Amino acid sequence: MATTRLYLFDIDCTLLWTKGAGRVAMGHAIQDILGFSPAIEDLKFGGKTDWLLLQEILSPHGYTDEDVARIMPEYDRAMGKHLARIICDFDVEPCPSAHEVVAQLRERDDALLALVTGNVRSGAPVKLRAAGFDPAHFAVGAYGSEAMNRDALPPLALARAVEHYRQNIQPQQVIVIGDTPADVQCARALGAVAVAVRTGYCKPGELEASRPDFLLDDLTQFAQVLANLGA
Ligand SMILES: [Mg+2]
């Protein structure tokens, strides 16, 4: 019998590009719940959880880590609301072959799909729908509103997948797919296979230095991963 594998997909710059919708929604959400607009134009988003971003944004304004944890549920709701409101103004696009790879994996009996994303829980389905994905195709996920450190997310997603699919899945049967060194690192933290795609905004050499198991130009090359895994 084929080995069952759990594929954990990052969203931004791995499955899709939102072309700045997340940043704009974040500004509205912070304004909404805290009543001011901090400068976030130059903030580097790639690979970070929304929790970590919020900490970076708010700590210069005197907010403690505990404050950020306390406002996270409210921030999650506000992000979902504002993303849904503004996303139609952005030219959201799926990354090359992202739809095809998701469809191919869904057809396989030995593949389970889930999300590991820095997005808050309410924001992830908004972005997926805008790029033509059905959020229901990712039965479980772990989100950037659940932990500051991305390394905490793959174990959460794995535990949820084990429960949802009622299958015993070991970390070495997990494949984390993302576009930043933080995605590679969170795969390593679990003991999972790390697949990096060059569809994000990493500097030249940055992804190589993070030493993923597979480094792809984009998901068009995903068949290489399946072939190498013997899947
Ligand atoms: Mg990403």
Side-chain angles (χ1 to χ4, degrees), residues 23-228:
R23 193 180 295 264
V24 172
M26 178 177 254
H28 288 304
I30 294 171
Q31 171 70 43
D32 225 18
I33 61 173
L34 300 175
F36 70 102
S37 297
I40 57 173
E41 293 75 22
D42 298 327
L43 198 66
K44 201 167 171 274
F45 272 50
K48 293 176 185 170
T49 62
D50 265 27
W51 189 315
L52 176 59
L53 285 168
L54 210 52
Q55 258 184 1
E56 289 181 0
I57 294 164
L58 296 180
S59 72
H61 298 273
Y63 287 81
T64 65
D65 294 357
E66 291 72 28
D67 292 333
V68 174
R70 190 170 39 76
I71 64 173
M72 191 52 61
E74 204 185 342
Y75 173 76
D76 187 344
R77 283 192 293 276
M79 265 303 273
K81 182 183 82 177
H82 286 290
L83 253 183
R85 185 173 61 79
I86 66 161
I87 200 136
C88 54
D89 299 333
F90 291 81
D91 179 25
V92 180
E93 237 191 309
C95 292
S97 294
H99 278 293
E100 289 79 359
V101 167
V102 169
Q104 282 162 13
L105 291 175
R106 276 175 46 76
E107 279 176 15
R108 300 178 65 114
D109 295 335
D110 61 351
L112 309 173
L113 270 76
L115 297 169
V116 161
T117 170
N119 281 281
V120 296
R121 186 184 281 269
S122 69
V126 177
K127 289 186 177 180
L128 288 171
R129 273 190 216 101
F133 295 95
D134 183 349
H137 290 171
F138 304 89
V140 296
Y143 302 90
S145 45
E146 301 188 283
M148 188 264 295
N149 187 341
R150 196 178 188 101
D151 292 359
L153 299 183
L156 263 183
L158 173 56
R160 287 168 184 164
V162 166
E163 194 181 327
H164 178 83
Y165 291 110
R166 297 184 180 278
Q167 296 206 40
N168 179 20
I169 308 159
Q170 297 301 313
Q172 60 271 21
Q173 292 165 252
V174 177
I175 293 99
V176 177
I177 304 117
D179 66 295
T180 70
D183 296 88
V184 176
Q185 164 55 34
C186 78
R188 292 280 168 261
L190 178 67
V193 176
V195 178
V197 285
R198 293 185 210 266
T199 39
Y201 299 100
C202 283
K203 294 191 206 84
E206 217 183 332
L207 276 177
E208 286 83 349
S210 72
R211 302 178 60 85
D213 297 294
F214 299 93
L215 180 52
L216 312 178
D217 287 338
D218 58 41
L219 290 175
T220 305
Q221 300 173 338
F222 198 74
Q224 291 176 17
V225 176
L226 297 177
N228 266 281

Side-chain angles (χ1 to χ4, degrees), residues 10-14 46-47 150 178-180 183:
D10 167 54
I11 293 181
D12 291 283
C13 299
T14 298
R150 196 178 188 101
D179 66 295
T180 70
D183 296 88

